Amino acid sequence: MPYVNIKITREGASAEQKATLIAGVTALLRDTLGKNPATTVVVIDEVDTDNWGIGGEAVTTLRARAAAQA
Amino acid sequence: MPYVNIKITREGASAEQKATLIAGVTALLRDTLGKNPATTVVVIDEVDTDNWGIGGEAVTTLRARAAAQA
Amino acid sequence: MPYVNIKITREGASAEQKATLIAGVTALLRDTLGKNPATTVVVIDEVDTDNWGIGGEAVTTLRARAAAQA
Amino acid sequence: MPYVNIKITREGASAEQKATLIAGVTALLRDTLGKNPATTVVVIDEVDTDNWGIGGEAVTTLRARAAAQA
Amino acid sequence: MPYVNIKITREGASAEQKATLIAGVTALLRDTLGKNPATTVVVIDEVDTDNWGIGGEAVTTLRARAAAQA
Amino acid sequence: MPYVNIKITREGASAEQKATLIAGVTALLRDTLGKNPATTVVVIDEVDTDNWGIGGEAVTTLRARAAAQA
């Protein structure tokens, strides 16, 4: 019956990678707490880099700076 | 003053259906707890089926299997 | 398969009232969108009035002012 | 280490405005509670006006009525 | 930089079990998507069984019925 | 009409500090996007340090290690 929400930046995660996350976190809850996979819900939100901030800056800005320094 | 977040898979809910959800849950909170509709906020998130998992699998996979068995 | 999160201030909602909310929103999703009640999850968060703000003020402050004016 | 989620209607907020929100809320948490900006995460969700309700109605409807009355 | 929110019913998860969830989901995001563990945030919410509904009923009611049938 | 959710570890934030967060983020949304304070909702969640993970570890563990090294 758990509910898991995973938020990541929208930077090209594939359907296969997202399926791996869903399977993995469902198994983790079964193995750790005995939670029933049949009613474990996982929702993945992919967020635009303009809309995700860390360190007081948007990820768009952080990525641009990293690219300029590369 | 309540805040309600409804998450559903993105599978074609119409604007009319979403308006029915908004009206219905606002009325439910007024009738059950006396909450003021004027400040009741409802946010509906529609989530891609690749990004919603149940039973350890993405809904995309569940829908494809169901269609193949139909 | 929907997931609904209802946030209200912690001001004495009873178990019966919360059960009414759970039943009501589950029925609303079944009637409006055909969602399966068996996998509809509802989570109610009760939030201390110090931790809920509207109009730039904590609800604790709003309630105290309303009581003083009553 | 705080996590902040800001939900607004999708009505044309620019990248610059969103960067101002990210910087502002990160500074607020540092100044008020001494939280480290380096690990303060801010996620902004922009929600379609069909999917946001207040007062029991979708914002799309409220905006149309306000425009008709203008 | 991911943010993960795990909601479970409050039914006695230990600090060790919660630490296992935190470590496990952080490793899953690193292994699947290359996400940096240093900025991966995991928040676990434990929700009273009166406040968690599935199938239109509170978990408190489901647990009591299951116990009566055992 | 914005909704803001601020999650912090439960480590003694006072009612005054939380009121400062509520006032500050409401003003930020008014000044940056012209949002109406009257319908801006802010909810603060204080999370036990056992239930908050970063870098794959619970904050309880990080705090204990930092104290031992101090």
Side-chain angles (χ1 to χ4, degrees):
Chain A
M1 209 160 28
Y3 169 79
V4 181
N5 180 221
I6 299 174
K7 289 185 195 288
I8 54 175
T9 45
R10 190 188 304 279
E11 299 181 275
S14 67
E16 288 70 22
Q17 288 173 317
K18 292 186 282 192
T20 300
L21 290 181
I22 290 168
V25 75
T26 303
L28 179 66
L29 283 156
R30 181 199 59 207
D31 295 346
T32 308
L33 291 174
K35 297 295 185 185
N36 182 4
T39 53
T40 295
V41 174
V42 182
V43 171
I44 301 170
D45 292 325
E46 296 175 270
V47 177
D48 289 345
T49 55
D50 278 354
N51 289 19
W52 191 298
I54 187 165
E57 291 188 297
V59 172
T60 306
T61 303
L62 300 176
R63 294 283 189 258
R65 189 182 306 138
Q69 293 172 343
Chain B
M1 210 160 26
Y3 169 80
V4 181
N5 180 222
I6 299 174
K7 290 184 195 290
I8 54 175
T9 44
R10 188 189 305 278
E11 299 181 274
S14 68
E16 288 70 22
Q17 289 172 317
K18 292 186 282 191
T20 300
L21 290 181
I22 289 167
V25 76
T26 303
L28 179 67
L29 282 156
R30 180 199 60 208
D31 295 347
T32 308
L33 291 174
K35 295 297 184 184
N36 181 4
T39 53
T40 295
V41 174
V42 182
V43 172
I44 300 170
D45 292 324
E46 296 175 272
V47 177
D48 290 345
T49 55
D50 278 353
N51 289 19
W52 191 297
I54 187 164
E57 291 187 297
V59 172
T60 306
T61 303
L62 300 176
R63 295 283 190 257
R65 190 182 305 140
Q69 291 173 343
Chain C
M1 210 159 29
Y3 170 80
V4 181
N5 181 222
I6 299 174
K7 289 185 195 288
I8 54 175
T9 44
R10 189 189 304 280
E11 298 181 276
S14 68
E16 288 70 24
Q17 289 173 316
K18 291 186 282 192
T20 300
L21 291 181
I22 289 167
V25 76
T26 303
L28 179 67
L29 283 156
R30 181 199 59 207
D31 296 347
T32 308
L33 292 175
K35 296 297 184 183
N36 182 4
T39 52
T40 296
V41 174
V42 183
V43 172
I44 301 170
D45 292 325
E46 297 175 272
V47 177
D48 289 346
T49 56
D50 279 354
N51 290 18
W52 191 297
I54 187 164
E57 290 187 300
V59 172
T60 306
T61 303
L62 301 176
R63 294 284 188 258
R65 190 183 305 139
Q69 293 172 344
Chain D
M1 211 159 27
Y3 169 80
V4 180
N5 181 222
I6 299 173
K7 290 184 195 290
I8 54 175
T9 44
R10 188 188 305 279
E11 299 181 276
S14 67
E16 287 70 23
Q17 288 172 318
K18 293 186 282 191
T20 300
L21 290 181
I22 290 168
V25 76
T26 303
L28 179 66
L29 283 156
R30 180 199 60 207
D31 295 347
T32 307
L33 290 174
K35 295 296 183 183
N36 182 3
T39 54
T40 295
V41 174
V42 182
V43 172
I44 300 170
D45 292 325
E46 295 174 272
V47 177
D48 289 346
T49 56
D50 279 353
N51 290 20
W52 191 297
I54 188 163
E57 292 187 298
V59 172
T60 305
T61 303
L62 301 176
R63 295 280 189 262
R65 189 183 305 138
Q69 293 173 342
Chain E
M1 206 161 31
Y3 170 80
V4 181
N5 181 222
I6 299 173
K7 289 185 195 288
I8 54 175
T9 45
R10 188 188 304 279
E11 298 182 275
S14 67
E16 287 71 24
Q17 289 172 318
K18 293 186 282 192
T20 300
L21 290 180
I22 289 167
V25 76
T26 303
L28 179 66
L29 283 156
R30 180 200 58 209
D31 296 346
T32 308
L33 291 174
K35 297 295 185 183
N36 181 4
T39 53
T40 296
V41 173
V42 182
V43 172
I44 300 170
D45 292 325
E46 296 174 272
V47 177
D48 289 346
T49 56
D50 279 353
N51 290 19
W52 191 297
I54 187 163
E57 292 187 298
V59 171
T60 306
T61 303
L62 300 177
R63 295 282 189 260
R65 189 183 304 138
Q69 292 172 343
Chain F
M1 210 160 27
Y3 169 79
V4 181
N5 181 221
I6 299 174
K7 290 185 195 289
I8 54 175
T9 45
R10 190 188 304 280
E11 299 181 274
S14 68
E16 287 72 21
Q17 288 172 317
K18 292 187 282 192
T20 300
L21 290 181
I22 289 168
V25 76
T26 302
L28 179 67
L29 283 155
R30 180 199 59 207
D31 296 347
T32 308
L33 291 175
K35 296 295 184 184
N36 181 4
T39 54
T40 295
V41 174
V42 182
V43 172
I44 301 169
D45 292 325
E46 296 175 273
V47 177
D48 289 345
T49 55
D50 279 353
N51 290 18
W52 192 298
I54 187 164
E57 291 188 296
V59 172
T60 306
T61 303
L62 300 176
R63 295 284 189 258
R65 190 182 305 139
Q69 293 172 342

